[in-house]
Every structure is written in structure tokens, then in C-alpha cells.
């Protein structure tokens, strides 16, 4: 499915849910690329499905978790990281007034959404940096899926959890006693010296970068514009999210946007942050990124327009 | 007349099997029923037993009675042995040791002492029929319905069974309806013989057999005039 | 006149009355449980769900979802039943083929969809994944029933067929198919329920455009539990309706199966 | 001397040989499919999965998971079979109760676990959620089979039982239970497969500590598809083993069910 | 002697049913078999038909033959009508119109023209038995096995059936084995009568009936000396 010399359609996959919010404006008004190339967007329900579509070569570009991008690259798929599009959006939420610092998590049941994903590794890394043994001193519970953790917090069934957006926002909205006692981003900065941790990335097919560099950079520019617009207009973006069926209600999306770090950091600039995060994965679960840090050619150089 | 049917009508679809049929059963007596195949004999027994509701008509003295029935097919429980099949119907009536004794003695009476532990599919056709007989005799009923009970049983065994039946009947007379195709059997066991027409079944003739039971012999010529009359009726 | 007791299921008035009593009892239990839980997010009460359903059901989005799920469920059921009956028949008739197919059948019986979801996502469009999941679930159940049904054929009749040298197809039509019929009935009943359930669950996984499961997952993520229950209610109604249709059809079918 | 053909399944040598051929054919198909797909992430080849299994199976973590899943599967199967048989029996025997229970049964048949997962997670510890999910799935299948089994009781024998005024329990033990037996056999076969499948899927959802599903999900998140298949293989082996154990038991049980 | 059994042994568990049993069947002749219930008559027919394998012994000329069988139970397909049941066994042999004609004419011969469209559970016991007879007669077999074929059939119909059988047999003689408990039937239909002992079945006696078939009458006294001898043997 290599694009030919003539005009072609680039297919971009967006993850349903919070990761898709940043590109909602592209759904509303698809950008024109160069040489008559057009962009076709599709909302993909899960990271699994996204991986499947990339493996099957059905997509030319896709948004997906950073570690998954590294894993696919390590498996020999011809996609490269073009930009980080979402930074850390994970918070500790609690209804218990006694919880004030990270150390207060010790010995208590902390519900974490997503075993083997960023939230877990984030907590582990911060804990170790602060001299806690995550397996002995922390009691991490993985049994509840994301929406159920938020629901349980809202209903007062549990009191302490680690949640990504927009679920953290929902939990806060659902229970007036819920609050965020401290910022995980800050602790991450202290632990790793990096300003933030990237969560989602945009990958582009090798051949597109090589044969259609102009279209590729137009795509990136459109993406960057969309993110800027979304951050500036959370309410309007929420409406579009619901309209394009990206899996969130307008109100929820609108409330979550200001609390989420939608960014657009081109690959060369993001490399240090990405490597810091992948190093964590590599240490705790090497297989999840393919057993090694990706080589430099993972990070695409995008020609400026 | 404690037991009777009055003006019974029964049809299956538009096939009329009984139409204005009446019959009285004398208590403690054996009514032998002869009739062509498919005329309604089994239907009649089923109506007496309350297994088939008549379309109209009256039944008297029957709903309170306890019935025993030798069905036209043996209807044994396939998963139970001969002995267990007989015991099964006694479970609600007798305690354990009495039940077993009674079942064993009736299996002996039908000549199956040696086969009490076999299941129906290990029995021959005639043996199954005899288990069904033993079951019906073992059950303490007021009314005994016999639908061709000696099917598939050889002559010698059959005479033994009939004699055993007559002994039981003399010791403890029950009201019996006995359907058969053998005139000689009807004459040997019956106190009365009823001959039915083809469907819808009507009573073509009824003969009271006044010769006392203990003076009858199977196939004897004492009743040969009655026998001849019945043959004439049957063979037309 | 003496009445004979009927062994037939009580259709008509008494059945409907008992059904109504049962439904009321169920709703009552639900209401009590909801009060005990005391949280709309965890377990909404029946009136709350009824309100959510009343809001949801008239929307175009809902009707489109209902249509999509209906078609998927019927398709999954049809495939499970047809393929299951064919494989079950073969396994019941030929012990050698039964042994040969047994490894593959065991794999199908025990493999959760999630294990092969990547394959499913690649091989099928997202709307077909729920159908695939439901077939994976219901097909082995149908095979088990049909196989047992073939084995339940009357040995006396089979002996008769052997003696009179009946052709295979006559044996199947006259002896095996009627023996199968009640097993097929229970297989269908079981499979129909499974199909609705698993199609909706599969939709939650694969999020096709018009699907009850997609709607349900949306409501779940938004913590709209009452709406989740309303979507579920739609699935249950689909199940109840197709059940009724199937029962009606069953009363007509047996005759059609017999040789002309 | 003339030989009679046997209708029994081919146990022993020919059955085993056919099974081996079937297994080989299945592996071959898999290998071919893997080559066609050409991606270890989507469909790893059999040798690749065998290597992953050889690495995984001797680990303590795996054995603990196997034990946990085994106990859950057996428990779910036991509950489905016992409860399904009881409810099926009641529904088969009493048409009024069948009508009364029918709304609740339809709800159970058609409600996907995901709709009530929140409740399940709150009411049960995480290890019990997979059991709950599996029961929700397998129970209605057992009910359908047992109900049909009760209906298949020989009407001639039931008439006999009525005439001789057998007690309810004697009727059940002597007439209904034997009529039920083949239906129970296929219900068990169907339910056993469902239980393994759904228990593992439920574990993926609820992530209990020692569980094949938890391990599978871990591998899934890392796109270690060969490891996912290795975990699945363990589930399939559990299914095959319990199948065999169950078949053995079945040959002994019928006698035990009969009246003493 | 085209058909024969030599030195057959057959036991079920440790119950010996046949032990060194030999029998020749003359082609085109009727061998009537009498014997006590459970002695092994059905087992013998099943061995002849190849439905039950003997434990040891030899069968000659049988494996290539086509059999027809009136089983001891009717064994009708419950979902098919009487007519369809008869047609069923003809499907592999005859085309559609011929098959139907043949089935209808045999149902007529057993007196069931009016019931051709009924299913087994709508038929009486005797009617089912007659459908089974019609099926066996309709099927073009070399050897006809009859296991108490006239069970549950009234005397008049039974005589009609026997006469129909004799007509068929005269027109197109088949090799027949006819198991019965009625001596008179054996004498009326048989070319030879074989009397078996209780199990393990041995041949107690065999009588050749030389009176030509068209001169016999049912229950006539022409064979009364043979009949008396057989009764003596049976009743002991
Ligand atoms: N369930 C039924 N449905 C329709 N017709 C039936 C049913 N039961 C019996 N019949 C018809 O009713 C008639 C009488 O049947 P019944 O069994 O009473 O005869 P019978 O006198 O016992 O005959 P036999 O001596 O052959 O046993 C028959 O013609 C039969 O076809
Ligand atoms: N499948 C079997 N398993 C065990 N025993 C059997 C089996 N079939 C028959 N028998 C036994 O073999 C003996 C002969 O049976 P068979 O059916 O041949 O008798 P029969 O002469 O036809 O009797 P009847 O005149 O009563 O039909 C019987 O004692 C029976 O118990
Ligand atoms: Mg009758
Ligand atoms: Mg016999």
C-alpha cells in the first residue's frame, strides 16, 4: 500500500477516548495536504485495534501510547514517532482528608487503573525515588477498570486511586469530597529530572515521510493547530467530541481538557522525555517496549514547511 | 353396580371411537372384552383409568378407586431392573422389607425369579410382558385393567399365569377388565364376556358365564356352545 | 366428569399471570437492592432506569444501534446454529471424524475471544468482531447438544434401518433428525441467549458504529449507570422478542423437517 | 463369521490415531495461517508459541495462576451445573413456575457481564468476578438443556407413574432423571467449555492475583502475542483435561443416580 | 440347503442362550418356530439377520441375502405416517410411483387403507403391528423373519392376514422363519415346525408338514395328530 506518485489518501487513526480529543478539529474540518493528497480520519476503539490496523498496514499514521509505538517499532513495523501529542494526565484522587503527601499512600489500598500501563510504572518510579518499595510499602490494587474506579470514588466505595483523564475529572465532579492532594507531575520531575512524561504519540509510516514529506509536514501542522484550538476552546471542542462520537460526552470532555496536557512536541524535541519514560518501562517490563530502547531513527525528522 | 360408564363419547379428530357407550362393572368380577383391532378397547380402559378424558358422558365410582394396569406395551422403566420396576409402584404403599417380599413373590409367580436383576433391554419380549403383569398384580388396586396381558408368552407359561391369576382372584376378588383376542382365555378367566363391534365400538353381545371358576379348565368343552356362539359373532 | 391433568406448559392466561407475578417480584427485588446500595452510580433503581430508557429509546442513534445489534445477533445465531448442527451431526454420526475434529473443537471451546482479538480485528471489519465472538461462544454449545442428540437416536429404529438397508439420507431424515429435534430446541434456546449477550459484549470491545454495546460503553465511561442499564434493557428485550419468535417458529418447523 | 458394525465411539487406537491426525492438521493450518499473516504480533507460529510456553510454564507465577484459574473454573462449572439443573428441573416440571421465573431467566440470559460489572466488582472480591461471569454465561445453557430433558421424559412412563400414583420423588428419580441424563451430559459438555473461556475472560477484566487471565492481559498489553497464546494454551489444556475427567466420571455416575 | 446355521454359540454374560445350535432353512419354505418365552427365539432371528454376532459358529448363505423382519415390537418411525413408514424401506429400491402403489396395496392387505395417513401414536397396538407386517411384506427380501407377527391382532383379522400371507407365499415363495406361540398358526403356515427347549435353546422336535398348503384350513383337524403331539411336547 505504498502511496504512488499521484494523489493519494492518507489514513490517520485516532484513539477513541481522551487521546482523540486533541485532534477533534481535524475531524470537523479535514486539512488539505499537498499535491491533492487528502486525509481520512478514523476513530479506533482501543490500543489493540490500533496495533492490529498498523500491523495490517491499514493506516498511514496513528495516535497511540508511547510504549506501544516503541514496541511496534521494535517488532519491525515501518512506523516512526513523529511527535508527542499528550503529556502526563495522571492524578492521585482521594476522598480521604488524611492523605496529603505521597508518603501517605504507604500501607493503604491504592486503586490503579491499568496494570502494565503508564499509571502503574509512574507510581512505581516515583515510589522508588522516594525510598518506598512499591511491592512492600504500597498496596496497589488493579482489579477495577477505569470507569469503575471513577464510579466507586464518586459513590464513596473507595477512597484512594490513581486515574488518568478524564476519569480523574469525573471522580472530582461526582464527589465533592474528592480532591487531588498533590501533583504527580511534580513528583515525576523530582524523580527523573524530566519536566513531564509523554503518554501518547503520533506515528507516521516510513514511506510517507520519505515519499510525501510535504504532506507529512502538512499533517503535523494541522495536528498542532488542532491541539492549539482545543486548548483554547474547551467548550467548543467538547461539543465536537460528542458530535464525532469519540467516546466522551461534551460536558465531560470540556471539563477534562484544561486538566489534560495536550501538547505538540516534534520528535527531536521530545526524544529525551520519551527515553526517560521508556527507560522506566525497560527496567520494569522490558518486553513491553521490545526489550531495548528504540534506536535514533525511531524519532522522525520532519522537514519544516 | 358400583362402577359404571354411561353414554360415553370419545373421538380423535373426526374419528369416532366411542359413541354413546355404556358399561357396568360388577364388583369383584372379571369382565372379558373381545373386539376387533382398533375398535377402541385400549381407549375404553384409558377412560376407565382416568388417563384419557371422554368428550362427554358420565363415570361412576371410578375416580375414588385405585387402579392397576397391564398396558398394551410393557412400559417398564429402562434404567431399573425387573425387581426394581415392580418395587417402584409399591414404594408409596409398603415399607421396605414388605415391598421387596411382595415384589419377589410376584416375580416368582410369573416365572422370573432368576431374572429379577436384569434390566428391560436384557429381557425377552415375553419376559418384559411378565414383569408388567407382576407389577400390576403386586399393586394393591381396587380395579385391575389388563390389556392383552399374555402377549408374547408361550402357551405353557400362559396357562400357569392364568392359574396364578385365578388363585389370586379367588383369594381376594378384584374388579377386573380383561382385554384379549383369545376366546378361550376370555372363557377361562371371565365372569362375563363382552364382544365389541368395530369402531365406533358398540356392545354386540354379552354372555354371563355361570360355571364357577374352580370348575373351569382351560380349553375344556364345558363352554363349547358359548364358545361357538362367540366365534360365529367374531368371524361373522 | 373426571379431568385429566395436562403436562403442557400453561400458555394463555395462567402462564401470563405467573409471568407478570415473576416480573413484578424481580422488579421488587431490584428496587430493594437499589435502596440497600443507595447509589445511583452503582445500582440505579428501576424507575430511574425506566426514565433513562424513555429518554434513550426514541433517539435515532438508539434505533440505529438496535438495528445493528439485531442484525449481528441474528447472524451470529444463524451461523452458530447452522455450523454447530452440521459439525455436531458429523461428530455424532462418525466417531472417527469426531476424534479427528476434537482437538480443533477443544481449542474453539476454550479460547477466549480476547486471546485472538488481534486476529479478529484484522480479519473482520469491526462490526463483524462481535459476531465472531458470539459464534466462538455459541457454536461449541450447539455442537455438544446436536452430537448428543444424534446419539439419542432409538437403537431399535437404527437396527431396523440397517436391516432394511436404508440409504444414509433416509436414516438421517427419518431417524436422526427427529431424535435431534428436542436437542436442537434446547441448543437454540441456549445459543440465542448467548448470542445476544456476547454480541453486545463484543461490541463493547470493538466499538462498531451502530451498536448497543458501543452505546453501553459510552454510557459506562461517562458513569451514566442508569443509561448503561437502559442499553442493557434493549438487549434483553431483543432476546425476549427473538425467543418468542423462535418458539412460534418451532411449533411450525418439525413438520417441515419430515420427508415429503 | 459376520461382524456387526458398532455404533460406539471409537475409543482406543483408532480414536487416538484420528485425534492425532486431527491435531496435526490443526497445527498445520495454524502454521500456514501464521505464514500468510506474516506477523508474530498478530498470529505467532506454533513453534514460537511452543517456545513461549516452554519458558512460561515452569515459572512459579504461572503455576500459581493455573491453580487459581483451575479452582475458579471448577467452581463456576459446579455452580452452573447444580443451579442450572435445579432451576431447569423446576421449570420442566412446573409450567407455572417456569412462567414465573421466565422474566428473571431472560434477564440473566441476555445481560452481558459488562453491564453489571460494577456491581459484581463491588459485591464480590476480584477473584470471584470471573466465576460470576462464567455462571452468568453457562447457567442459562444448563437450564435450557435440563428443561428440555425433563420434557423428553417418556409419556408412556409418565402415564404409568400417574396411574400407579408414584410419589413425586420416585417419578423424578426413575423417570425424569434418566430422561435427563443425556441432556445433562451435553449441558455439561457445553458448560464446561464456556466456563473455562469466560473465567479467563473475566480474569482479564477483574485482574485477580493468581489467574491465567491476569497473565494473559499482561502479555496482551505488551503485545507479546506468543505469550498470550501460551497462556491461552494453558486454558485449553485445562479444558481438555477436565473434559477427559468428566467423561470418565460420566461412565460411572449413571448407576449412582438410580434408586438403591 | 442354501441357508444354514452350524454350531452356533451365544451367551449374554454367563447366560448361555444358544449352545451348539444348528438349523437348516429350506429355500422358499416356511419354518415355524415354537418355544418357551425367553428361550432364545428372538436371539436366533437376530443372528440370522446379522444384527447380533454369535460368539462362535458358522453361518452359510446368509450374508449375501436381503432380509425382511417383523420385529417383536413394531419399531415404526414415530414421526412418519403408516404409509410413509412402509415407503421408507422401499426408497432405496423403488421409484416414487411404484413405491407408493406397493405401500398402499400392502396397507390395504393388512386392512389399514383408511389409516394410511395416521402416525404411530394415533394407531392402536394391533394397527401398529399390522403396519410393521405391511412394511416387511412390501420389502423385496430373500428371507423373511417374523417374530410373533400377529400379536394384538384379533382372530378374524389374523386369519385374513394369514391367508394373505399364504397367497403371497404361493405366488412368490420366500424363505421364512416364523416365530409364534400359537400351535394352530404354526400348523397353518409352516412347511416345518421346530419346537425349542428352554435356554440354552435346543431343538426338541421337528415336524415336516406334508399337507399341501392350499389344502390346509385354519384350525382344521387334518393335522390334529401332529397338533396333539406338539401340545404334549409343549405342555410337558
Ligand atoms: N392419540 C390418538 N390420536 C388419534 N387417534 C387415536 C389415538 N389413539 C387411538 N386412536 C384411534 O382410535 C381407535 C381405537 O384405538 P384403540 O387403541 O382404543 O384400539 P384397540 O381396540 O385397543 O385396538 P388394538 O386391539 O389394536 O389394540 C383406533 O382407530 C386409533 O387409530
Ligand atoms: N441384550 C441382552 N443382554 C442380556 N441378556 C439378553 C439380552 N437379550 C436377550 N437376553 C436374554 O437372552 C434370553 C433369550 O432372549 P430372547 O429375546 O432371544 O428370547 P425369546 O425366545 O425371543 O423370548 P420371547 O418369546 O419372550 O420373546 C433371555 O433370557 C434374555 O434374558
Ligand atoms: Mg389396544
Ligand atoms: Mg422374542
Amino acid at each position: 500500500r505504498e502511496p504512488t506518485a499521484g494523489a493519494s489518501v492518507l489514513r490517520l487513526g485516532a484513539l477513541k477516548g481522551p487521546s482523540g480529543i486533541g485532534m477533534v478539529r481535524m475531524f470537523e474540518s479535514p486539512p488539505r495536504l499537498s499535491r491533492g493528497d487528502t486525509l481520512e480520519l478514523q476513530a479506533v476503539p482501543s490500543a489493540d485495534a490500533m496495533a492490529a490496523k498498523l500491523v495490517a498496514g491499514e493506516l498511514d499514521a496513528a495516535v497511540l501510547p508511547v510504549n506501544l509505538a516503541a514496541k511496534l517499532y521494535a517488532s519491525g513495523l515501518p512506523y516512526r514517532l513523529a511527535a508527542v501529542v499528550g503529556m502526563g494526565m495522571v492524578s492521585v484522587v482521594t476522598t480521604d482528608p488524611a492523605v496529603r503527601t505521597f508518603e501517605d499512600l504507604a500501607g493503604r489500598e491504592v486503586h490503579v487503573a491499568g496494570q502494565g500501563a503508564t499509571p502503574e510504572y509512574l507510581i512505581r518510579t516515583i515510589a522508588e525515588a522516594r525510598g518506598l518499595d512499591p511491592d512492600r510499602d504500597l498496596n496497589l490494587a488493579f482489579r477495577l477498570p477505569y470507569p469503575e474506579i471513577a464510579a466507586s470514588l464518586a459513590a464513596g466505595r473507595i477512597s484512594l486511586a490513581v486515574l488518568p483523564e478524564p476519569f480523574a475529572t469525573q471522580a472530582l465532579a461526582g464527589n465533592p469530597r474528592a480532591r487531588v492532594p498533590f501533583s504527580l507531575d511534580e513528583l515525576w520531575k523530582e524523580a527523573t529530572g524530566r519536566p513531564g512524561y509523554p503518554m501518547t504519540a503520533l506515528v507516521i509510516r516510513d514511506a510517507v515521510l520519505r515519499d510525501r514529506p510535504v504532506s507529512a509536514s502538512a499533517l503535523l501542522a494541522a495536528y498542532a493547530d488542532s491541539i492549539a484550538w482545543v486548548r483554547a476552546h474547551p467548550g467548543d471542542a467538547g461539543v465536537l467530541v460528542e458530535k464525532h462520537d469519540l467516546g466522551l460526552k461534551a460536558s465531560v470532555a470540556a471539563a477534562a481538557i484544561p486538566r489534560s496536557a495536550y501538547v505538540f512536541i516534534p520528535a527531536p524535541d521530545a526524544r529525551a522525555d520519551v527515553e526517560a519514560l521508556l527507560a522506566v518501562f525497560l527496567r520494569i517490563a522490558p518486553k513491553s517496549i521490545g526489550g531495548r530502547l528504540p534506536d535514533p531513527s525511531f524519532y522522525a525528522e520532519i522537514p519544516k514547511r | 353396580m358400583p362402577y359404571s360408564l354411561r353414554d360415553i363419547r370419545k373421538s380423535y379428530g373426526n374419528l369416532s371411537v366411542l359413541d354413546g357407550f355404556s358399561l357396568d362393572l360388577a364388583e369383584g368380577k372379571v369382565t372379558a372384552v373381545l373386539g376387533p383391532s382398533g375398535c377402541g378397547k385400549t381407549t375404553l380402559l384409558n377412560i376407565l383409568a382416568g388417563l384419557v378424558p371422554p368428550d362427554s358422558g358420565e363415570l361412576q365410582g371410578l375416580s375414588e378407586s385405585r387402579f392397576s394396569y397391564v398396558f398394551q406395551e410393557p412400559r417398564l422403566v429402562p434404567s431399573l431392573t425387573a425387581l426394581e420396576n415392580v418395587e417402584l409402584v409399591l414404594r408409596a404403599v409398603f415399607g421396605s422389607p414388605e415391598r421387596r417380599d411382595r415384589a419377589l413373590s410376584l416375580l416368582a409367580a410369573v416365572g422370573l425369579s432368576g431374572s429379577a436383576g436384569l434390566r428391560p433391554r436384557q429381557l425377552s419380549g415375553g419376559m418384559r410382558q411378565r414383569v408388567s403383569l407382576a407389577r400390576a398384580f403386586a399393586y394393591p388396586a381396587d380395579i385391575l385393567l389388563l390389556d392383552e396381558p399374555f402377549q408374547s408368552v408361550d402357551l405353557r407359561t400362559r396357562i400357569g399365569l392364568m392359574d396364578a391369576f385365578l388363585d389370586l382372584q379367588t383369594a381376594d376378588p378384584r374388579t377386573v377388565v380383561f382385554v384379549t383376542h383369545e376366546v378361550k382365555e376370555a372363557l377361562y378367566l371371565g365372569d362375563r364376556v363382552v364382544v365389541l363391534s368395530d369402531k365406533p365400538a358398540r356392545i354386540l353381545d354379552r354372555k354371563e358365564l355361570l360355571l364357577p371358576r374352580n370348575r373351569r379348565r382351560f380349553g375344556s368343552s364345558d363352554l363349547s356352545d358359548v364358545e361357538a356362539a362367540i366365534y360365529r359373532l367374531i368371524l361373522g | 366428569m373426571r379431568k385429566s391433568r395436562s403436562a403442557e406448559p400453561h400458555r394463555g392466561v395462567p402462564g401470563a399471570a405467573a409471568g407478570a407475578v415473576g416480573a413484578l417480584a424481580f422488579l421488587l427485588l431490584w428496587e430493594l437492592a437499589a435502596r440497600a446500595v443507595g447509589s445511583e452510580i452503582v445500582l440505579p433503581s428501576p424507575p430511574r432506569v425506566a426514565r433513562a430508557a424513555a429518554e434513550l429509546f426514541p433517539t435515532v442513534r438508539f434505533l440505529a444501534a438496535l438495528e445493528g445489534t439485531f442484525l449481528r445477533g441474528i447472524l451470529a445465531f444463524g451461523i452458530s446454529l447452522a455450523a454447530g448442527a452440521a459439525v455436531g451431526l458429523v461428530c455424532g454420526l462418525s466417531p472417527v471424524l469426531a476424534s479427528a475434529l476434537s482437538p480443533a473443537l477443544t481449542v474453539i471451546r476454550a479460547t477466549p475471544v480476547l486471546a485472538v482479538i488481534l486476529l479478529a480485528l484484522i480479519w473482520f471489519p469491526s462490526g463483524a468482531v462481535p459476531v465472531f465472538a458470539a459464534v466462538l461462544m455459541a457454536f461449541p454449545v450447539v455442537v455438544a447438544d446436536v452430537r448428543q442428540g444424534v446419539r439419542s437416536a432409538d437403537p431399535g429404529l437404527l437396527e431396523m434401518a440397517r436391516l432394511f438397508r436404508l440409504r444414509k439420507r433416509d436414516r438421517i431424515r427419518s431417524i436422526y433428525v427427529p431424535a435431534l429435534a428436542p436437542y436442537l430446541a434446547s441448543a437454540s434456546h441456549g445459543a440465542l441467549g448467548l448470542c445476544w449477550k456476547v454480541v453486545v459484549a463484543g461490541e463493547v470491545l470493538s466499538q462498531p458504529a451502530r451498536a448497543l454495546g458501543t452505546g453501553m460503553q459510552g454510557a459506562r465511561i461517562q458513569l451514566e449507570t442508569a443509561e448503561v442499564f437502559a442499553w442493557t434493557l434493549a438487549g434483553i428485550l431483543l432476546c425476549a422478542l427473538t425467543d418468542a419468535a423462535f418458539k412460534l417458529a418451532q411449533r411450525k418447523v418439525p413438520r417441515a423437517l419430515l420427508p415429503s
Side-chain angles (χ1 to χ4, degrees), chain A, chain B, chain C:
Chain A
R1 306 247 188 110
E2 293 297 294
T4 53
S8 71
V9 178
L10 296 189
R11 286 149 307 173
L12 169 59
L15 269 181
K16 277 197 179 189
S19 313
I21 293 179
M23 55 198 294
V24 70
R25 194 155 194 235
M26 299 168 82
F27 276 88
E28 179 67 10
S29 42
R32 301 201 55 80
L33 306 177
S34 75
R35 272 198 276 156
D37 287 355
T38 49
L39 186 66
E40 184 187 289
L41 288 103
Q42 44 179 289
V44 178
S46 64
D48 275 336
M50 190 70 85
K53 285 180 185 293
L54 290 173
V55 167
E58 287 175 20
L59 294 174
D60 301 301
V63 174
L64 71 179
V66 172
N67 59 309
L68 204 56
K71 171 79 183 183
L72 292 174
Y73 181 76
S75 315
L77 290 190
Y79 294 92
R80 299 210 271 155
L81 185 129
V84 164
V85 296
M87 294 295 280
M89 303 185 279
V90 179
S91 313
V92 169
V93 180
T94 183
T95 55
D96 185 344
V99 176
R100 309 203 154 273
T101 66
F102 189 88
E103 279 64 30
D104 292 337
L105 301 188
R108 313 189 42 140
E109 185 175 51
V110 184
H111 289 268
V112 181
Q115 192 167 23
T118 306
E120 179 188 357
Y121 297 143
L122 188 66
I123 290 294
R124 284 178 173 277
T125 304
I126 293 172
E128 281 172 12
R130 301 179 75 86
L132 296 174
D133 178 340
D135 290 313
R136 245 183 336 114
D137 301 330
L138 295 182
N139 178 7
L140 303 180
F142 299 103
R143 71 184 143 90
L144 295 172
Y146 297 91
E148 276 67 24
I149 290 184
S152 302
L153 269 175
R157 303 252 149 202
I158 62 175
S159 62
L160 188 52
V162 176
L163 278 174
E165 290 301 335
F167 300 105
T169 301
Q170 278 180 311
L172 292 171
N175 189 333
R177 284 170 43 238
R179 65 201 169 84
V180 177
F182 48 85
S183 158
L184 281 179
D185 295 8
E186 292 298 320
L187 300 182
W188 172 263
K189 204 181 287 176
E190 281 172 30
T192 63
R194 303 301 315 170
Y197 47 96
M199 289 226 338
T200 42
L202 173 70
V203 298
I204 299 191
R205 184 197 294 280
D206 243 355
V208 174
L209 289 169
R210 195 175 56 236
D211 302 337
R212 308 189 162 281
V214 185
S215 287
S217 54
L219 166 60
L220 291 183
Y223 202 124
D225 289 349
S226 173
I227 282 178
W229 181 83
V230 164
R231 288 171 60 149
H233 307 91
D236 298 343
V239 172
L240 291 186
V241 164
E242 185 165 330
K243 175 178 167 196
H244 291 286
D245 213 8
L246 289 180
L248 294 171
K249 263 200 180 145
S251 57
V252 176
I257 289 169
R259 302 185 39 85
S260 312
Y262 293 110
V263 297
F264 188 89
I265 309 172
D269 306 340
R271 179 169 170 183
D273 282 342
V274 170
E275 283 186 341
L277 180 72
L278 292 182
V280 171
F281 278 89
L282 183 63
R283 188 164 49 80
I284 304 174
K287 280 184 187 166
S288 63
I289 61 162
R292 61 190 153 81
L293 286 181
D295 57 62
S297 57
F298 175 55
Y299 305 92
E301 289 284 354
I302 310 290
K304 292 264 181 297
R305 273 207 289 194
Chain B
M1 274 305 155
Y3 305 119
S4 70
L5 297 176
R6 285 273 157 272
D7 208 25
I8 298 289
R9 286 205 305 130
K10 175 75 196 173
S11 8
Y12 294 106
N14 46 25
L15 179 77
S16 170
V17 176
L18 298 173
D19 192 2
F21 188 90
S22 301
L23 183 68
D24 297 320
L25 302 179
E27 194 166 3
K29 300 288 177 191
V30 179
T31 304
V33 176
L34 290 162
S37 171
C39 76
K41 303 180 294 297
T42 300
T43 304
L44 172 63
L45 295 188
N46 283 338
I47 289 176
L48 284 167
L51 295 176
V52 158
D55 297 337
S56 69
E58 261 178 76
L59 290 92
Q60 273 157 22
L62 292 162
S63 51
E64 311 78 39
S65 311
R66 227 185 239 276
F67 289 87
S68 230
Y69 198 153
V70 174
F71 297 95
Q72 197 163 3
E73 326 80 46
R75 298 204 187 171
L76 304 179
V77 176
S79 54
L80 300 183
T81 63
L83 177 62
E84 288 163 348
N85 261 289
V86 177
E87 279 196 74
L88 179 64
V89 303
L90 304 180
R91 285 181 166 262
V93 192
F94 299 107
S96 167
E98 192 180 354
R99 183 167 76 217
R100 171 137 312 187
D101 288 350
R102 197 172 168 112
L104 282 173
S105 85
L106 270 147
L107 282 175
V110 300
L112 288 179
S113 294
S115 306
L118 299 184
R119 289 181 212 284
R121 54 170 199 79
Q122 302 174 304
L123 298 173
S124 76
M127 293 162 89
R128 268 177 238 153
Q129 185 66 30
R130 285 183 275 154
V131 175
S132 167
L133 256 177
R135 175 175 67 187
F137 286 162
Y139 186 71
D142 308 312
I143 302 180
L144 184 57
L145 305 174
L146 305 173
D147 201 350
E148 305 181 42
F150 307 121
Q151 273 182 82
S152 275
V153 176
D154 65 287
L155 189 59
R156 183 180 180 174
T157 311
R158 192 179 294 202
I159 292 175
L161 291 173
M162 288 193 286
D163 288 340
F165 169 75
L166 287 178
D167 288 348
L168 287 171
Q169 189 64 9
T170 311
D172 170 23
R174 302 199 231 182
T175 308
V176 179
V177 182
F178 167 46
V179 169
T180 182
H181 290 302
E182 298 294 330
V183 180
K184 283 190 174 21
E185 291 177 8
L187 294 178
Y188 189 44
L189 299 187
D191 293 301
R192 188 165 52 152
V193 178
V194 172
V195 181
L196 301 184
S197 73
D198 206 347
K199 67 201 148 210
R202 281 170 305 102
I203 297 184
L204 285 184
D205 200 1
R206 101 184 58 200
K207 307 261 178 212
E208 303 294 330
L209 304 178
L210 299 171
L211 195 68
R213 229 185 244 117
N214 55 10
R215 286 202 27 232
R216 296 189 203 159
R217 277 190 47 231
F218 183 68
S220 82
S221 51
D222 293 347
L223 290 169
S224 56
D225 48 338
V226 183
E227 187 175 349
I230 292 177
Y231 273 125
R232 240 174 289 128
L233 207 57
I234 290 178
L235 298 176
Chain C
M1 194 195 304
R2 205 187 297 157
K3 277 271 194 69
S4 78
R5 271 173 297 154
S6 155
E8 276 293 283
H10 283 229
R11 292 205 192 90
V13 179
V21 169
L24 279 179
F26 177 80
L27 286 176
L28 195 70
L29 273 179
W30 175 4
E31 174 69 38
L32 290 179
R35 289 196 190 174
V37 169
S39 158
E40 290 283 322
I41 288 188
V42 174
L43 181 60
S45 66
R48 180 74 194 75
V49 171
R51 242 176 301 132
E55 258 173 49
L56 179 65
F57 288 5
T59 62
V60 175
R61 168 162 159 265
F62 171 80
L63 293 174
L66 194 69
E67 185 197 354
T69 298
F70 174 75
L71 293 177
R72 277 179 211 107
I74 290 297
L75 186 65
F77 176 63
I79 295 176
S80 303
L81 203 60
V87 172
L89 202 63
V90 164
C91 286
L93 289 176
S94 158
V96 173
L97 279 179
S99 296
L101 287 178
S102 137
L105 284 176
T106 302
V107 169
I108 295 176
R109 285 176 61 216
T111 303
V113 210
L114 283 172
V116 289
I117 188 86
L118 285 184
L119 267 185
L121 289 169
I122 286 181
W123 282 350
F124 310 113
S126 73
V129 172
V131 176
F132 170 75
V135 170
L136 212 61
M137 212 65 116
F139 165 81
V141 169
V142 177
V143 172
D145 272 344
V146 169
R147 193 172 164 175
Q148 193 71 46
V150 170
R151 286 190 189 156
S152 78
D154 180 345
L157 288 182
L158 290 176
E159 217 172 65
M160 182 280 285
R162 211 170 113 208
L163 186 108
F164 287 110
R165 301 187 184 173
L166 296 200
R167 291 174 304 189
K168 196 111 189 167
R169 74 190 112 142
D170 291 330
R171 281 179 216 214
I172 290 180
R173 282 217 296 183
S174 307
I175 303 177
Y176 288 111
V177 169
L180 220 59
Y183 287 84
L184 215 53
S186 69
S188 317
H189 195 249
L192 196 55
L194 279 181
C195 282
W196 292 123
K197 214 179 189 119
V198 182
V199 158
V200 173
E203 289 170 348
V204 166
L205 280 179
S206 69
Q207 303 273 307
R210 304 149 154 248
L212 294 185
T214 305
M216 184 186 294
Q217 178 68 356
R220 229 184 109 219
I221 290 182
Q222 293 154 21
L223 305 190
E224 290 290 333
T225 313
E227 201 187 320
V228 172
F229 275 55
W231 286 104
T232 308
L233 187 64
I236 291 170
L237 291 180
L238 273 185
C239 178
L241 282 179
T242 47
D243 256 12
F246 202 77
K247 257 181 211 151
L248 260 180
Q250 258 179 3
R251 273 185 243 154
K252 317 267 168 188
V253 165
R255 194 152 303 175
L257 286 175
L258 304 175
S260 54

